[in-house]
């Protein structure tokens, strides 16, 4: 069976990567993962995921820095990014929206909410709609 979509999961916590990966695989997504923000842009360029789930708080290179690198590269600029983060302050959400994310999910989250957001972003992309609501 063909996977629903390819998801690049950028999450520095191995347990979170395992749990989110399991949720996604159970729903039929192909998951590519990295625990290093510094490797994310290169992986996105090489793997061409349909959507990127990106943690914000990571050592060395944080999620906003990864997003900046993705948007600066014509090869990855149009890949939708959903931030998956414990940051829930209004200013964090505003910064994410200003940076052009397709979604913003705060941890902890319900698996159904994650799948619904990814599906919505993928549907928007396939119909040519620009950007989703965070």
């Amino acid at each position: 069976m063909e996977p629903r979509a390819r998801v690049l999961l950028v999450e520095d916590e191995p347990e979170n990567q395992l749990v989110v990966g399991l949720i996604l695989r159970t729903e039929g997504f192909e998951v590519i993962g990295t625990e290093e923000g510094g490797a994310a842009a290169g992986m996105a360029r090489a793997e061409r995921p349909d959507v990127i789930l990106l943690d914000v708080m990571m050592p060395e290179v944080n999620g906003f820095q990864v997003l900046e690198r993705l948007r600066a590269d014509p090869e990855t600029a149009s890949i939708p990014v959903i931030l998956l983060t414990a940051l829930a302050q209004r200013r964090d959400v505003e910064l994410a929206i200003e940076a052009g994310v397709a979604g913003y999910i705060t941890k902890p989250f319900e698996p159904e909410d994650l799948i619904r957001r990814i599906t919505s972003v993928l549907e928007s992309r396939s119909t040519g709609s620009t950007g989703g609501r965070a």
Side-chain angles (χ1 to χ4, degrees):
M1 186 172 98
E2 190 74 19
R4 287 173 69 173
R6 298 183 83 198
V7 178
L8 173 57
L9 174 59
V10 185
E11 168 62 67
D12 66 312
E13 294 292 332
E15 185 176 306
N16 289 344
Q17 190 163 119
L18 184 68
V19 170
V20 174
L22 181 62
I23 292 166
L24 296 175
R25 287 183 187 96
T26 299
E27 291 294 322
F29 292 98
E30 177 183 350
V31 180
I32 311 145
T34 182
E35 295 176 3
E36 298 179 25
M43 282 189 80
R45 190 175 233 276
E47 299 290 339
R48 305 286 184 185
D50 297 298
V51 65
I52 299 170
L53 282 182
L54 179 60
D55 186 18
V56 173
M57 297 186 317
M58 295 183 290
E60 297 176 37
V61 180
N62 71 40
F64 285 107
Q65 292 167 315
V66 171
L67 186 59
E68 195 173 295
R69 291 177 185 179
L70 291 166
R71 295 302 178 240
D73 183 345
E75 298 288 322
T76 59
S78 66
I79 301 171
V81 174
I82 299 172
L83 293 184
L84 191 59
T85 181
L87 297 175
Q89 298 289 328
R90 169 180 251 138
R91 186 64 191 138
D92 297 319
V93 177
E94 289 170 354
L95 286 171
I97 291 169
E98 289 170 14
V101 299
Y104 193 97
I105 299 173
T106 55
K107 300 174 189 174
F109 59 88
E110 293 297 324
E112 304 83 37
D113 293 337
L114 176 65
I115 298 305
R116 194 174 12 243
R117 171 54 65 196
I118 293 171
T119 302
S120 172
V121 166
L122 292 170
E123 287 172 355
S124 293
R125 189 172 191 203
S126 70
T127 60
S129 175
T130 56
R133 291 194 44 182

